Amino acid sequence: KKHGIRFAYHNHDYSFHAMDGVLPQDVMMNGTDKSLVDFEMDMYWTVAAGVDPVAYMKKHPGRFKAVHVKDMMKTASGHESCVIGKGTIDYKALLPQVNAQGVQHMIVEQEAYTGTNEMDAARDDAAYLKTLTW
């Protein structure tokens, strides 16, 4: 704290799977001091859990300082990340709403490269994001 270092938690879908009727994400949100603990929402995993990212941010205003911007495509075995704008998450509509919630950092993350590679995906992610306004 003395050196300005803060703790932040990054969710996956399991944070939104109820245990004994309670979401672990809610336990963390409600049980931590907002002056000490921040949260980074991985919007891919939030959507994968069936939770609306903006609605959840509104439930906990000011707690999400960063987000992972990662798109999702359906696969035979479930889903995987893909180039932003090529998947099922509507970032054109979502990012302006996320920005309005006071998010300070939006970080592109991609973990799978089906039909592409790391460098081409990074170029394509950046090109898509440049088409958006908010």
Side-chain angles (χ1 to χ4, degrees):
K1 185 176 177 180
K2 177 174 105 176
H3 297 287
I5 297 173
R6 297 182 56 81
F7 179 84
Y9 178 79
H10 168 278
N11 68 280
H12 282 241
D13 61 336
Y14 52 77
S15 298
F16 294 101
H17 295 175
M19 297 173 67
D20 298 322
V22 178
L23 295 181
Q25 189 71 36
D26 285 342
V27 171
M28 291 182 279
M29 301 300 297
N30 297 326
T32 55
D33 182 340
K34 62 182 166 186
S35 72
L36 299 173
V37 180
D38 295 326
F39 289 87
E40 175 190 41
M41 179 183 283
D42 188 313
M43 293 190 285
Y44 171 99
W45 286 116
T46 303
V47 169
V51 174
D52 176 333
V54 175
Y56 198 80
M57 286 180 178
K58 287 180 178 180
K59 183 177 173 183
H60 299 282
R63 295 302 303 270
F64 292 95
K65 304 298 184 195
V67 295
H68 271 176
V69 179
K70 178 169 48 176
D71 214 341
M72 177 189 304
M73 69 177 186
K74 303 292 182 187
T75 66
S77 61
H79 52 80
E80 67 179 35
S81 66
C82 64
V83 170
I84 301 166
K86 303 288 185 190
T88 60
I89 300 175
D90 183 3
Y91 280 110
K92 184 175 183 176
L94 185 58
L95 290 181
Q97 296 177 66
V98 166
N99 189 54
Q101 297 308 308
V103 169
Q104 298 168 358
H105 306 284
M106 296 185 189
I107 304 156
V108 171
E109 180 184 33
Q110 189 168 336
E111 298 165 332
Y113 302 95
T114 301
T116 189
N117 61 57
E118 291 88 342
M119 292 305 291
D120 288 344
R123 181 197 65 228
D124 294 343
D125 287 334
Y128 178 77
L129 289 173
K130 287 178 184 176
T131 70
L132 305 181
T133 57
W134 60 81

